[in-house]
């Protein structure tokens, strides 16, 4: 069972470069999420998608864009990377609109130099 | 305006019960409390959730006070592999996790 798969696992960018973080889930979940986690801190929500075709901003959306490509896939794009975006990025999904039982991927460690 | 409040850290002896408190004094009547843990740098893992009654599963027990203003996650027989950051969260559109409690289980 793959669950939630994130690619890449590690990435180093230069300031101003762009990249897309990929996330896919095979659990037929409706909702998907992107979080960032800075050293020694909890997770902060960047964007989420309650269902296919919809996306909404979370707590820290600035500098990011997302695409809910289909029910399985939810990508996060950094158009012009900044050092402040150095972080670990986690994707998550859940089935139920009410219950917050999230399943997380293993994360992408991103460094922006 | 913190949604939940947890101690920053706590230690526990291997084989003993670990009791992790969480304060959620502003919780509404139909709002669940959820617990997750994050081992090292892995993605968080769901542990348990509850509304009013105490809950138990293969991982832990959750005790919720009658006024629902606080709860305690209990790891009945802590092992070294339970060393992790434990998060207590409420349903919120931001679904953000605070800093949690860093639990260190010592041999």
């Amino acid at each position: 069972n793959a669950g939630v798969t994130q690619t890449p696992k590690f990435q180093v960018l230069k300031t101003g470069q762009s990249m897309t973080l990929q996330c896919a889930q095979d659990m037929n979940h409706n909702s998907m999420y992107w979080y960032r986690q800075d050293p020694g801190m909890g997770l902060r929500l960047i964007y989420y998608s309650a269902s296919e075709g919809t996306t909404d901003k979370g707590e820290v959306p600035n500098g990011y864009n997302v695409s809910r490509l289909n029910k399985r896939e939810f990508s996060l794009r950094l158009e012009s990377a900044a050092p402040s975006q150095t972080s670990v990025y986690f994707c998550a999904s859940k089935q139920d609109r009410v219950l917050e039982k999230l399943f997380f991927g293993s994360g992408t460690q991103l460094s922006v130099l | 305006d913190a949604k939940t409040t947890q101690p920053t850290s706590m230690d526990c002896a291997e084989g003993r019960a670990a009791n992790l408190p969480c304060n959620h004094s502003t919780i509404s009547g139909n709002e669940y409390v959820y617990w997750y843990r994050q081992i090292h740098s892995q993605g968080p893992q769901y542990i348990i959730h509850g509304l009013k009654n105490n809950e138990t599963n293969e991982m832990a027990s959750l005790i919720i006070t009658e006024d629902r203003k606080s709860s305690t996650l209990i790891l009945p027989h802590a092992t070294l592999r339970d060393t992790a950051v434990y998060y207590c969260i409420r349903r919120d559109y931001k679904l953000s996790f605070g800093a949690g409690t860093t639990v260190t289980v010592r041999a």
Side-chain angles (χ1 to χ4, degrees):
Chain A
N1 293 333
V4 179
T5 303
Q6 292 184 235
T7 56
K9 293 190 182 301
F10 301 95
Q11 184 71 47
V12 178
L13 294 177
K14 295 181 179 179
T15 297
Q17 287 185 317
S18 62
M19 79 159 297
T20 300
L21 280 63
Q22 306 286 352
C23 175
Q25 51 89 10
D26 62 1
M27 297 173 282
N28 201 36
H29 285 174
N30 290 316
S31 302
M32 299 186 72
Y33 302 79
W34 276 106
Y35 288 87
R36 62 176 287 173
Q37 184 173 33
D38 299 321
M41 298 182 67
L43 286 79
R44 291 181 294 170
L45 183 65
I46 305 171
Y47 270 94
Y48 67 100
S49 171
S51 61
E52 185 179 354
T54 67
T55 61
D56 287 288
K57 295 178 180 179
E59 185 180 3
V60 288
N62 291 343
Y64 305 95
N65 287 303
V66 290
S67 296
R68 182 75 183 267
L69 305 172
N70 47 55
K71 192 171 186 178
R72 290 187 64 249
E73 298 172 288
F74 189 38
S75 62
L76 178 71
R77 183 161 178 84
L78 287 71
E79 291 292 350
S80 179
S84 60
Q85 294 178 305
T86 293
S87 190
V88 180
Y89 291 84
F90 289 101
C91 177
S93 70
K94 72 181 180 82
Q95 172 62 28
D96 198 310
R97 280 185 177 271
V98 176
L99 292 179
E100 309 301 346
K101 186 175 179 179
L102 294 160
F103 293 81
F104 283 83
S106 57
T108 295
Q109 188 166 326
L110 175 68
S111 295
V112 183
L113 307 178
Chain B
D1 181 21
K3 292 289 187 179
T4 64
T5 303
Q6 299 178 254
T8 302
S9 64
M10 62 183 297
D11 287 358
C12 176
E14 187 178 22
R16 303 293 295 271
N19 297 307
L20 284 63
C22 178
N23 181 286
H24 34 79
S25 58
T26 61
I27 199 168
S28 61
N30 61 351
E31 196 175 351
Y32 286 86
V33 175
Y34 301 81
W35 284 82
Y36 287 78
R37 73 178 183 184
Q38 186 175 25
I39 296 174
H40 194 46
S41 55
Q42 299 176 18
Q45 175 190 24
Y46 165 85
I47 301 174
I48 199 167
H49 72 276
L51 181 62
K52 295 181 180 179
N53 301 319
N54 298 337
E55 303 287 346
T56 296
N57 63 20
E58 66 278 5
M59 293 182 68
S61 295
L62 177 61
I63 308 297
I64 303 174
T65 58
E66 192 169 344
D67 62 10
R68 304 209 330 113
K69 292 185 176 182
S70 65
S71 60
T72 300
L73 181 75
I74 300 173
L75 308 177
H77 305 286
T79 70
L80 298 178
R81 289 175 295 180
D82 291 324
T83 292
V85 179
Y86 288 78
Y87 301 98
C88 166
I89 68 168
R90 294 162 50 180
R91 187 175 188 223
D92 181 286
Y93 84 99
K94 297 176 183 177
L95 268 185
S96 292
F97 291 54
T101 298
T102 299
V103 174
T104 303
V105 180
R106 303 191 186 280

